[in-house]
Amino acid sequence: MKPEIDYTLYLCTDRELMTTDTIEESVELAIKGGITVVQLREKNSTSREFYKLAHGVKEITDAYEIPLIINDRIDIAMAVGADGVHLGQKDMPIQAARNLLGSDKIVGATANTVEAAVEAWKNGADYLGVGDVFGTSTKADTTHITLEELKKIRLAVQIPVVAIGGVNAENISLLRETGVEGAAVISAIVGQKDITAAAETLIANFRGA
């Protein structure tokens, strides 16, 4: 059965930005601060290294009952029993990934236009990662979208939308007016000295607490 996911605060990992010694420690501290989803992103690891890391992270997410999404690598997601994958616009087609993973897994997709968002939704995506919203230093090939464009995408689809790109404690509250279900964060969590406190602040600001 496909898990019900709270996308409010969606953590994307990054070993180059984290302030901890290990990704596992970074993820656990963020979970303690209230993040609701973890996406494991590894662009520069061998398959063996990625598998070992994913297995270790999954032990932590399982212990806290937090969903684990693997970026790009369907084989790694299947090997460790992750909750799903996130696919970029240049990755495997959504339906092909669904055929491999089955109906019980989450398949997320990247979109930065209304047209791309609607296409991904109709092709079976479970949620959308939409951005770059506020500007990001972690990806070079992003397309900036305005809050108004983000709102239009949210209204055009009937699946959850997660905003990504430069989200931090100062600007995350601006996303509330767009109606998106969540925000994806990298450096504003893993790059902070107090990861738990950073996550707590982000989730409070997003919810308007």
Side-chain angles (χ1 to χ4, degrees), residues 15 20 35 89 117 120 146 153 158 185 200:
R15 282 203 277 194
T20 56
I35 62 147
Q89 292 178 318
T146 66
I153 289 172
Q158 296 179 21
V185 180
E200 289 172 343

Side-chain angles (χ1 to χ4, degrees), residues 11-14 17-20 26 30 186-192 195:
L11 173 71
C12 296
T13 65
D14 192 316
L17 295 174
M18 68 186 189
T19 55
T20 56
S26 179
I186 306 174
S187 61
I189 293 179
V190 303
Q192 306 306 303
I195 289 173

Side-chain angles (χ1 to χ4, degrees), residues 12-175:
C12 296
T13 65
D14 192 316
R15 282 203 277 194
E16 295 182 0
L17 295 174
M18 68 186 189
T19 55
T20 56
D21 292 330
T22 67
I23 282 187
E24 290 90 341
E25 182 184 0
S26 179
V27 167
E28 185 164 19
L29 289 171
I31 290 173
K32 289 179 177 179
I35 62 147
T36 56
V37 187
V38 174
Q39 181 192 129
L40 186 61
R41 298 169 73 245
E42 282 298 306
K43 297 293 188 181
N44 301 310
S45 294
T46 66
S47 293
R48 185 178 292 272
E49 289 170 341
F50 198 171
Y51 168 77
K52 184 177 181 181
L53 179 60
H55 190 273
V57 170
K58 189 170 185 295
E59 288 184 348
I60 295 167
T61 55
D62 281 354
Y64 289 92
E65 298 183 341
I66 296 293
L68 174 63
I69 304 295
I70 303 295
N71 187 54
D72 296 347
R73 294 290 299 273
I74 295 169
D75 56 337
I76 299 295
M78 294 174 69
V80 302
D83 294 282
V85 296
H86 184 87
L87 303 173
Q89 292 178 318
K90 297 179 181 179
D91 294 328
M92 181 180 289
I94 294 167
Q95 190 55 58
R98 174 70 67 207
N99 291 341
L100 288 169
L101 290 168
S103 60
D104 292 342
K105 298 296 184 180
I106 299 295
V107 177
T110 296
N112 52 34
T113 66
V114 169
E115 293 76 17
V118 171
E119 181 180 8
W121 165 44
K122 290 184 176 180
N123 285 337
D126 292 297
Y127 76 91
L128 299 176
V130 178
D132 167 21
V133 180
F134 297 117
T136 178
S137 60
T138 59
K139 293 187 72 175
D141 57 345
T142 60
T143 301
H144 175 68
I145 69 166
T146 66
L147 291 176
E148 186 60 33
E149 289 170 327
L150 179 61
K151 186 175 183 179
K152 289 178 181 178
I153 289 172
R154 180 64 202 88
L155 292 171
V157 298
Q158 296 179 21
I159 53 177
V161 171
V162 178
I164 189 169
V167 177
N168 58 42
E170 286 68 46
N171 60 33
I172 194 170
S173 62
L174 298 175
L175 297 174

